[in-house]
Amino acid sequence: MTYELQDFKVPLQSLDYAACSLFVTTSVEKIISEAIELGNNKIIINTNLKLGLPMENINKIAGPFIEAWAVETFHAILEDSNNRFSLINVEAVQRLHMADVILQFKKERKVESGVTAEIDVKATAEDIVSSGKGPNITSFARIRTAYVNDPDYIFIILSLKHRVYSSRNQITGLMDGTMEVVAYNAYDLKFISWNDINYNPALGTGQIQIRDIHYVELEERTTWEFCQLLDRKYLQSSRRSFEDWLALANRNQWIKSDD
């Protein structure tokens, strides 16, 4: 019994998947760009620490602030009567969900009139070289299953670079911290190149990682091709075997059964 001889459930994406993916990533980047250009990119953190925020460890607490800022930024577009981005729904999701926020855009298509994408926000510090460089994305089994269940699943990595500085409040005498989003990139996980995707077997079924989120190359591929890519990453790990993969495939219904 080998991998190649399995009777796979092959996910077939819609013909306009690539166009929908480009539409979403472009829209997300435009929304973030506009927020930065209008000066709506600052998070003010008041603290009674006389020396201000602990800058040497600021990357450890930045993630939740940046994620919350992104969600509020999308909500602001949704509530804007002059919404130019065709954004029709924003849903913040629970912490254990794969993404941080789900966005729905209006888009005329042959079958539907909208497109939905899950957005995973990753924060990196501008002045800390290694900060957030190779982030965990999600577990191998979870993301592999998501693409089988929905061949048109759009999972976007939104990389937000920030810098932090403190200034003394002349009224209180205490330090006000400012976290400022200064750069961004949005990538469809399915189109990230082979070389830029890592598999770390250390946790659970293993974690899918981005090698260096600041420098990502893209390769257009189908959902089925991406599922095969994920499988190859898993099977190439010295800590995983074909029997391990087969157990996951049966448990998560990636292959057809006689039942």
Side-chain angles (χ1 to χ4, degrees), residues 195-211:
N195 290 332
D196 289 319
I197 293 179
N198 279 342
Y199 170 76
N200 183 348
L203 298 173
T205 63
Q207 284 285 316
I208 299 302
Q209 300 175 325
I210 304 299
R211 184 185 301 274

Side-chain angles (χ1 to χ4, degrees), residues 186-198:
Y187 313 106
D188 186 332
L189 176 63
K190 197 168 82 176
F191 291 161
I192 293 179
S193 74
W194 166 273
N195 290 332
D196 289 319
I197 293 179
N198 279 342

Side-chain angles (χ1 to χ4, degrees), residues 13-190:
Q13 67 190 46
S14 298
L15 294 176
D16 66 345
Y17 178 92
C20 290
S21 171
L22 179 61
F23 173 76
V24 170
T25 52
T26 301
S27 297
V28 167
E29 288 189 336
K30 285 180 178 178
I31 289 171
I32 300 301
S33 175
E34 183 177 271
I36 293 174
E37 290 174 3
L38 294 176
N40 298 327
N41 58 331
K42 297 178 179 62
I43 305 166
I44 307 300
I45 306 170
N46 299 115
T47 174
N48 63 352
L49 296 173
K50 294 181 179 179
L51 298 179
L53 298 174
M55 303 301 290
E56 66 277 8
N57 291 313
I58 198 65
N59 59 307
K60 295 181 180 179
I61 64 171
F65 283 101
I66 298 299
E67 291 167 15
W69 174 86
V71 172
E72 289 196 5
T73 298
F74 293 128
H75 266 292
I77 295 297
L78 184 65
E79 296 167 357
D80 186 354
S81 59
N82 296 317
N83 180 353
R84 299 181 294 102
F85 299 99
S86 300
L87 184 62
I88 56 176
N89 191 45
V90 177
E91 180 185 349
V93 292
Q94 297 178 350
R95 181 166 178 79
L96 295 180
H97 195 85
M98 282 196 294
D100 299 302
V101 60
I102 300 174
L103 303 182
Q104 194 169 29
F105 294 88
K106 183 177 181 180
K107 186 180 190 302
E108 292 302 321
R109 305 170 63 187
K110 286 187 177 180
V111 179
E112 302 176 56
S113 58
V115 58
T116 301
E118 298 198 3
I119 313 297
D120 187 17
V121 181
K122 297 300 181 186
T124 63
E126 183 184 49
D127 49 358
I128 303 176
V129 176
S130 61
S131 168
K133 175 183 175 182
N136 287 331
I137 303 303
T138 188
S139 78
F140 161 73
R142 198 173 186 186
I143 195 70
R144 173 69 161 81
T145 302
Y147 283 107
V148 173
N149 291 341
D150 180 6
D152 288 328
Y153 182 55
I154 299 179
F155 189 83
I156 303 297
I157 311 299
L158 175 58
S159 172
L160 296 177
K161 188 177 289 189
H162 61 85
R163 59 169 171 252
V164 182
Y165 52 90
S166 297
S167 58
R168 189 167 301 281
N169 188 308
Q170 298 303 316
I171 298 176
T172 65
L174 299 176
M175 299 293 284
D176 289 340
T178 300
M179 190 173 292
E180 185 175 26
V181 177
V182 296
Y184 58 88
N185 283 107
Y187 313 106
D188 186 332
L189 176 63
K190 197 168 82 176

Side-chain angles (χ1 to χ4, degrees), residues 247-258:
L248 287 176
N250 283 313
R251 186 184 314 150
N252 294 287
Q253 301 179 4
W254 303 339
I255 53 180
K256 300 174 185 176
S257 67
D258 296 327

